[in-house]
Amino acid sequence: MQAAIRKGEFLPIYKYLLSILTTISALAGAFLAASSGLPAYLAGQPLKAGIFAVLCLLEGLSAYLLWRPGKRALAVLNGGLLAAALLLFWQGEGLAAGSALALLAINYLLKREETWAWTLALVLNLVFAALTMLPHQFMSFPAA
Protein backbone atom coordinates (compact mmCIF):
# COMPACT_ATOMS: atom_id res chain seq x y z
CA MET A 1 0.00 0.00 0.00
CA GLN A 2 3.01 2.29 0.34
CA ALA A 3 3.17 2.38 -3.46
CA ALA A 4 -0.23 4.07 -3.54
CA ILE A 5 1.19 7.07 -1.70
CA ARG A 6 4.17 7.81 -3.93
CA LYS A 7 3.41 10.02 -6.88
CA GLY A 8 3.57 8.34 -10.26
CA GLU A 9 3.33 4.80 -8.91
CA PHE A 10 0.28 2.58 -9.06
CA LEU A 11 -1.03 -0.50 -7.32
CA PRO A 12 -1.16 -3.73 -9.31
CA ILE A 13 -4.69 -4.12 -10.70
CA TYR A 14 -5.31 -7.25 -8.59
CA LYS A 15 -4.39 -5.45 -5.37
CA TYR A 16 -6.35 -2.36 -6.42
CA LEU A 17 -9.53 -4.39 -6.98
CA LEU A 18 -8.96 -6.28 -3.75
CA SER A 19 -8.59 -2.99 -1.87
CA ILE A 20 -11.90 -1.77 -3.30
CA LEU A 21 -13.58 -5.05 -2.32
CA THR A 22 -12.17 -4.75 1.20
CA THR A 23 -13.40 -1.16 1.47
CA ILE A 24 -16.91 -2.21 0.45
CA SER A 25 -16.81 -5.16 2.87
CA ALA A 26 -15.65 -2.98 5.74
CA LEU A 27 -18.39 -0.41 5.09
CA ALA A 28 -21.02 -3.16 4.88
CA GLY A 29 -19.70 -4.64 8.12
CA ALA A 30 -19.86 -1.23 9.79
CA PHE A 31 -23.47 -0.80 8.70
CA LEU A 32 -24.43 -4.25 9.96
CA ALA A 33 -22.63 -3.71 13.27
CA ALA A 34 -24.50 -0.42 13.72
CA SER A 35 -27.84 -2.04 12.90
CA SER A 36 -27.08 -4.87 15.35
CA GLY A 37 -26.37 -2.43 18.18
CA LEU A 38 -29.89 -0.99 18.40
CA PRO A 39 -31.68 -4.31 19.02
CA ALA A 40 -29.07 -5.17 21.65
CA TYR A 41 -29.67 -1.83 23.35
CA LEU A 42 -33.45 -2.23 23.19
CA ALA A 43 -33.10 -5.72 24.65
CA GLY A 44 -31.45 -4.21 27.72
CA GLN A 45 -27.87 -5.08 26.79
CA PRO A 46 -26.05 -1.72 26.76
CA LEU A 47 -22.58 -3.30 26.96
CA LYS A 48 -23.19 -5.41 23.85
CA ALA A 49 -24.70 -2.39 22.08
CA GLY A 50 -21.61 -0.34 22.96
CA ILE A 51 -19.30 -3.02 21.61
CA PHE A 52 -21.26 -3.08 18.35
CA ALA A 53 -20.99 0.72 18.17
CA VAL A 54 -17.21 0.53 18.64
CA LEU A 55 -17.01 -2.23 16.02
CA CYS A 56 -18.96 -0.02 13.62
CA LEU A 57 -16.47 2.80 14.16
CA LEU A 58 -13.45 0.53 13.77
CA GLU A 59 -14.73 -1.05 10.57
CA GLY A 60 -15.51 2.36 9.11
CA LEU A 61 -12.02 3.56 10.02
CA SER A 62 -10.59 0.42 8.48
CA ALA A 63 -12.19 1.30 5.14
CA TYR A 64 -10.73 4.81 5.38
CA LEU A 65 -7.24 3.86 6.59
CA LEU A 66 -6.84 1.19 3.92
CA TRP A 67 -6.11 4.01 1.45
CA ARG A 68 -4.03 6.08 3.90
CA PRO A 69 -1.70 3.66 5.62
CA GLY A 70 0.03 4.74 8.78
CA LYS A 71 1.76 2.28 11.06
CA ARG A 72 0.64 3.89 14.32
CA ALA A 73 -2.99 4.38 13.26
CA LEU A 74 -3.13 0.87 11.80
CA ALA A 75 -1.71 -0.64 15.00
CA VAL A 76 -4.38 1.13 17.08
CA LEU A 77 -7.10 0.06 14.63
CA ASN A 78 -5.98 -3.57 14.60
CA GLY A 79 -5.69 -3.60 18.39
CA GLY A 80 -9.21 -2.23 18.62
CA LEU A 81 -10.55 -4.83 16.20
CA LEU A 82 -8.92 -7.59 18.24
CA ALA A 83 -10.34 -6.20 21.49
CA ALA A 84 -13.82 -5.86 19.94
CA ALA A 85 -13.63 -9.43 18.64
CA LEU A 86 -12.69 -10.76 22.07
CA LEU A 87 -15.43 -8.76 23.80
CA LEU A 88 -18.04 -9.88 21.28
CA PHE A 89 -16.98 -13.49 21.69
CA TRP A 90 -17.27 -13.03 25.46
CA GLN A 91 -20.78 -11.62 24.95
CA GLY A 92 -21.80 -14.69 22.93
CA GLU A 93 -21.63 -13.04 19.51
CA GLY A 94 -19.32 -15.52 17.79
CA LEU A 95 -20.29 -14.54 14.23
CA ALA A 96 -19.62 -10.86 14.83
CA ALA A 97 -16.33 -11.73 16.55
CA GLY A 98 -15.36 -13.89 13.58
CA SER A 99 -16.08 -11.07 11.15
CA ALA A 100 -13.93 -8.66 13.17
CA LEU A 101 -11.07 -11.17 13.17
CA ALA A 102 -11.45 -11.70 9.40
CA LEU A 103 -11.21 -7.95 8.78
CA LEU A 104 -8.19 -7.76 11.07
CA ALA A 105 -6.46 -10.48 9.03
CA ILE A 106 -7.41 -8.78 5.74
CA ASN A 107 -5.91 -5.48 6.95
CA TYR A 108 -2.68 -7.28 7.78
CA LEU A 109 -2.49 -9.27 4.53
CA LEU A 110 -3.08 -6.28 2.26
CA LYS A 111 0.07 -4.63 3.62
CA ARG A 112 2.20 -7.51 2.37
CA GLU A 113 3.59 -7.65 -1.15
CA GLU A 114 3.30 -11.39 -1.85
CA THR A 115 0.61 -12.75 -4.16
CA TRP A 116 -0.28 -15.52 -1.69
CA ALA A 117 -1.16 -12.88 0.91
CA TRP A 118 -3.45 -11.08 -1.54
CA THR A 119 -5.10 -14.37 -2.52
CA LEU A 120 -5.68 -15.23 1.13
CA ALA A 121 -7.07 -11.71 1.66
CA LEU A 122 -9.54 -12.35 -1.17
CA VAL A 123 -10.66 -15.61 0.45
CA LEU A 124 -11.03 -13.84 3.80
CA ASN A 125 -13.10 -11.14 2.10
CA LEU A 126 -15.50 -13.87 1.02
CA VAL A 127 -15.54 -15.28 4.57
CA PHE A 128 -16.12 -11.77 5.94
CA ALA A 129 -19.03 -11.25 3.53
CA ALA A 130 -20.54 -14.60 4.52
CA LEU A 131 -20.25 -13.82 8.24
CA THR A 132 -21.82 -10.38 7.91
CA MET A 133 -24.62 -11.45 5.59
CA LEU A 134 -25.93 -14.32 7.69
CA PRO A 135 -29.57 -14.12 8.74
CA HIS A 136 -30.47 -11.59 11.41
CA GLN A 137 -27.25 -9.60 10.96
CA PHE A 138 -24.92 -11.17 13.50
CA MET A 139 -27.98 -12.92 14.97
CA SER A 140 -28.72 -9.99 17.30
CA PHE A 141 -32.22 -9.18 16.12
CA PRO A 142 -34.97 -10.58 18.31
CA ALA A 143 -37.18 -13.19 16.68
CA ALA A 144 -40.21 -11.84 14.85
Side-chain angles (χ1 to χ4, degrees), residues 34-57:
S35 64
S36 295
L38 181 61
Y41 180 76
L42 293 175
Q45 300 169 326
L47 178 61
K48 188 183 288 188
I51 296 169
F52 274 120
V54 168
L55 182 61
C56 172
L57 175 68

Side-chain angles (χ1 to χ4, degrees), residues 33-78:
S35 64
S36 295
L38 181 61
Y41 180 76
L42 293 175
Q45 300 169 326
L47 178 61
K48 188 183 288 188
I51 296 169
F52 274 120
V54 168
L55 182 61
C56 172
L57 175 68
L58 291 172
E59 289 179 341
L61 282 174
S62 178
Y64 176 76
L65 290 176
L66 183 65
W67 299 100
R68 294 163 182 79
K71 289 183 181 179
R72 186 171 297 164
L74 192 62
V76 170
L77 174 74
N78 288 341

Side-chain angles (χ1 to χ4, degrees), residues 7-64:
K7 192 170 186 169
E9 293 185 16
F10 300 98
L11 287 173
I13 189 70
Y14 182 71
K15 192 170 182 182
Y16 180 75
L17 293 173
L18 185 56
S19 297
I20 291 173
L21 178 63
T22 302
T23 301
I24 292 168
S25 294
L27 291 174
F31 173 76
L32 292 174
S35 64
S36 295
L38 181 61
Y41 180 76
L42 293 175
Q45 300 169 326
L47 178 61
K48 188 183 288 188
I51 296 169
F52 274 120
V54 168
L55 182 61
C56 172
L57 175 68
L58 291 172
E59 289 179 341
L61 282 174
S62 178
Y64 176 76

Side-chain angles (χ1 to χ4, degrees), residues 12 14-15 18 109-110 112-123:
Y14 182 71
K15 192 170 182 182
L18 185 56
L109 289 170
L110 285 180
R112 303 188 53 98
E113 295 299 324
E114 295 90 3
T115 305
W116 69 264
W118 298 346
T119 304
L120 185 55
L122 178 62
V123 170

